[in-house]
Amino acid sequence: GWLGCGAKPGLRSEGERCPVMAMDAKVVASDRRVDTASPQRCMATLESQKEVTTPPKTPSKRPRVQSPLNADGGFRGGALMPYKVCELVTKTVWAHAQAQASKAQTANDLGAEASCPSAPSRKRSHAHEQSVHPAKVAAFSEAPHFFAKGCDFSQSQSQSQTRASEEFGDVLQRMGLEDIPCGAEALARVRAMALAALAYWQEVTTDLTRAAGSLARFLGHQRRLFWGRQPWRGVNLGGWLLLEPGPSCRFWKRHGPATCEWELMVRLREQLGEVGAEATLRTHRETFITEDDFRRIRDAGFNAVRIPFGYWVVLGPANGEAYIGPCLEYLDRAVALCKAYGLQALLDLHGAPGGESGDTPCGREQRDWKWQDWRREASLEALKVLARRYCGHPSVTGISVCNEPSDRLPVEVLCEFYHRACSVIREAGMPPDEVAIVLPVYRTERLDEIWRHWNRQYDGFARHVNVTFDLHLYHCFGPWWQRQSLGNHLRMTKRHRKILRRGPAGLGGG
């Protein structure tokens, strides 16, 4: 679980600086704010800020090739095995579990038909068996016997571990990694993955709730094999590179009224002209978030920041649009400061081309917005630019492909975009053992629908490794929430905890 601050119309903020809300272990823990500073102090530090935070050189487009081992012989970041080994293990375990569950279901159906000859033939099981992809069958048929023949969990633990260790050594030798150690914890997690995968395929046709829990366990064990970083527990830098009325309320009061960044930019140009508008926004971007904020975030005990921005920061505005950009130098500065202060960075494409909704958080409020207005190809291009620019950066550990997609988006369209976005990011040089991909679901009301389509149509969590859904469980917007007692808020938090256990999911906001 993690972070975020909702930057919504009407959200109260005591100053123009970034509001901070930490969400620890999937439960909202506190609501804090980075201390504000006067505009005079911000302007006084402008020149020193430029000197301290010189943007780093743009990384090479070619991904870095790194050894999976640290200098002391352990895996990078505390992982239990190299990702390539984990990838082979995952494909093998998943395919074998699917085939085993299908075989067991077919045997049960045949037994039922034999005991009741007059019963109609069950074609669904046969269709399910035929759905096993030939490539997956080949993968586990050529795999070590520990996976291909299944784990004999009835044998003693010492016998099982000895056999598993020997056959795991064969896998490493075939990959030219025979010198890489693989400890008992890694073997135990692989066995747990096998059990969870088998449970998932047995349950997915009968009980989706239980199947979701089994899938979450499978992915949890899998991720621990190759991902050694700490969970994100941090703050959201809202109102900086995408303006919203809540976190940047002083800027809004000074230059508004307006409902969104688009309208505010139109008004700035009317008041100050093109040059004046650009200078005013540049001052905001230079002073709203400074090095002192990153230091305070680190000193407060957080380990991550979420950086929301509009696509115009990356690509520049399209013809006829009111935004001002591009300005990737601010993202360069932010990730450089994250590295300097030991923070992880989640890059959040908060405002997509055309808008993933018609609401203020995507940059422009449009009451006549239609889901066809979202320019998804341009969104993919922005994600590709980001992935190529920051691949290999030690602090960039996450990328969110959009923010709070509208409920009017058909689930088929949304999941197809997520599938393509994951492929674009990985192909651009961000591998699963370095960067997690965040797929926003937003409201819990759509979680079941999106989860079902993502897994049935794309086998999404098995095909795309180290991805997570993003849920925004606000307890503040609307009169109903404002009438609730502390006890009711805590009861709703427990209910949300059950929802979060149904799949890989994190908490964000804004």
Side-chain angles (χ1 to χ4, degrees):
W2 86 298
L3 52 82
C5 170
K8 300 289 185 179
L11 179 64
R12 296 186 60 185
S13 176
E14 296 175 357
E16 186 179 335
R17 303 295 297 283
C18 165
V20 175
M21 180 182 292
M23 295 189 178
D24 187 0
K26 299 181 180 177
V27 178
V28 180
S30 62
D31 186 356
R32 308 183 182 184
R33 288 179 169 79
V34 177
D35 292 345
T36 59
S38 66
Q40 292 79 7
R41 179 243 183 208
C42 292
M43 293 303 295
T45 60
L46 178 57
E47 293 303 322
S48 61
Q49 177 69 18
K50 291 181 180 178
E51 296 177 2
V52 173
T53 59
T54 302
K57 294 182 179 179
T58 302
S60 170
K61 293 183 178 180
R62 179 175 297 177
R64 295 179 297 112
V65 178
Q66 293 184 332
S67 167
L69 298 179
N70 291 322
D72 60 359
F75 298 121
R76 286 185 289 123
L80 298 177
M81 65 173 61
Y83 174 70
K84 289 298 183 183
V85 177
C86 180
E87 186 178 31
L88 173 64
V89 170
T90 299
K91 290 180 179 178
T92 303
V93 168
W94 189 254
H96 178 59
Q98 185 180 13
Q100 289 290 94
S102 179
K103 186 186 298 184
Q105 182 63 44
T106 302
N108 291 338
D109 291 343
L110 291 176
E113 291 178 4
S115 62
C116 185
S118 61
S121 175
R122 298 187 181 184
K123 298 183 179 180
R124 186 175 67 133
S125 298
H126 178 70
H128 182 68
E129 182 180 16
Q130 296 299 321
S131 68
V132 181
H133 197 280
K136 292 184 176 180
V137 177
F140 74 78
S141 64
E142 299 174 358
H145 294 296
F146 175 59
F147 304 113
K149 293 183 179 179
C151 304
D152 183 5
F153 295 101
S154 62
Q155 59 188 322
S156 69
Q157 183 176 2
S158 61
Q159 290 175 328
S160 176
Q161 288 183 350
T162 300
R163 182 186 178 200
S165 179
E166 293 174 353
E167 293 176 345
F168 215 89
D170 293 339
V171 175
L172 297 177
Q173 186 173 9
R174 274 188 278 168
M175 298 182 67
L177 302 171
E178 59 271 15
D179 295 332
I180 293 180
C182 190
E185 182 181 354
L187 296 174
R189 288 191 179 275
V190 171
R191 289 168 58 82
M193 284 172 59
L195 285 173
L198 183 60
Y200 169 80
W201 285 111
Q202 290 173 339
E203 297 160 351
V204 71
T205 57
T206 57
D207 190 335
L208 284 179
T209 299
R210 294 184 63 184
S214 298
L215 178 60
R217 291 195 301 275
F218 173 85
L219 296 172
H221 291 300
Q222 176 211 44
R223 193 169 189 262
R224 181 63 187 89
L225 290 175
F226 65 86
W227 186 264
R229 294 180 180 271
Q230 293 296 315
W232 294 321
R233 295 186 177 94
V235 301
N236 184 61
L237 305 184
W240 180 31
L241 300 179
L242 193 155
L243 301 176
E244 297 187 57
S248 50
C249 62
R250 288 187 178 177
F251 189 84
W252 227 262
K253 291 178 180 178
R254 190 179 305 123
H255 302 289
T259 60
C260 57
E261 179 167 343
W262 179 294
E263 288 189 9
L264 195 60
M265 293 302 99
V266 171
R267 187 171 180 84
L268 274 178
R269 287 184 172 93
E270 293 174 350
Q271 293 175 342
L272 307 174
E274 185 69 29
V275 175
E278 291 183 3
T280 299
L281 186 58
R282 187 183 309 114
T283 300
H284 169 81
R285 289 169 172 171
E286 292 281 358
T287 60
F288 187 73
I289 296 294
T290 67
E291 182 177 6
D292 187 55
D293 294 315
F294 289 86
R295 183 185 299 109
R296 288 172 179 269
I297 290 168
R298 189 271 316 271
D299 293 345
F302 300 115
N303 69 359
V305 293
R306 175 178 181 248
I307 309 173
F309 51 88
Y311 84 92
W312 51 93
V313 169
V314 182
L315 302 178
N319 291 335
E321 292 189 334
Y323 306 118
I324 296 176
C327 52
L328 274 170
E329 62 271 18
Y330 296 108
L331 279 182
D332 291 342
R333 180 181 301 174
V335 298
L337 287 170
C338 284
K339 180 180 178 181
Y341 289 98
L343 299 171
Q344 300 181 63
L346 170 59
L347 306 179
D348 172 27
L349 185 59
H350 210 73
E356 60 269 67
S357 73
D359 298 325
T360 297
C362 68
R364 185 182 185 186
E365 184 176 295
Q366 305 177 78
R367 294 306 175 191
D368 58 348
W369 179 89
K370 305 180 296 297
W371 68 264
Q372 293 88 346
D373 294 335
W374 181 11
R375 304 195 300 275
R376 295 182 296 283
E377 293 297 329
S379 295
L380 294 174
E381 180 62 26
L383 292 171
K384 182 188 298 185
V385 171
L386 287 169
R388 287 179 174 175
R389 189 178 186 90
Y390 298 111
C391 65
H393 195 288
S395 290
V396 178
T397 61
I399 184 168
S400 182
V401 302
C402 65
N403 174 70
E404 297 185 353
S406 171
D407 293 343
R408 286 179 273 173
L409 270 164
V411 66
E412 298 83 4
V413 174
L414 186 62
C415 287
E416 180 192 16
F417 172 75
Y418 286 168
H419 168 65
R420 295 182 64 194
C422 290
S423 299
V424 163
I425 291 168
R426 298 306 185 206
E427 292 169 4
M430 286 186 163
D433 59 334
E434 293 184 8
V435 177
I437 299 177
V438 178
L439 309 177
V441 172
Y442 184 20
R443 301 181 187 276
T444 57
E445 290 82 358
R446 296 199 76 187
L447 178 59
D448 285 350
E449 179 187 22
I450 294 174
W451 186 95
R452 189 180 297 112
H453 191 82
W454 176 246
N455 284 290
R456 288 182 175 176
Q457 188 67 28
Y458 296 100
D459 205 7
F461 287 119
R463 181 184 299 184
H464 298 295
V465 180
N466 201 10
V467 302
T468 181
F469 284 156
D470 177 28
L471 293 170
H472 295 182
L473 305 178
Y474 297 118
H475 281 218
C476 53
F477 299 116
W480 188 86
W481 281 111
Q482 296 171 10
R483 292 195 302 267
Q484 301 309 304
S485 64
L486 175 61
N488 286 340
H489 280 282
L490 294 176
R491 279 186 283 273
M492 287 300 298
T493 299
K494 289 183 178 180
R495 184 180 301 178
H496 290 156
R497 181 178 60 184
K498 295 180 180 178
I499 294 173
L500 290 168
R501 286 176 174 172
R502 297 181 58 183
L507 286 177

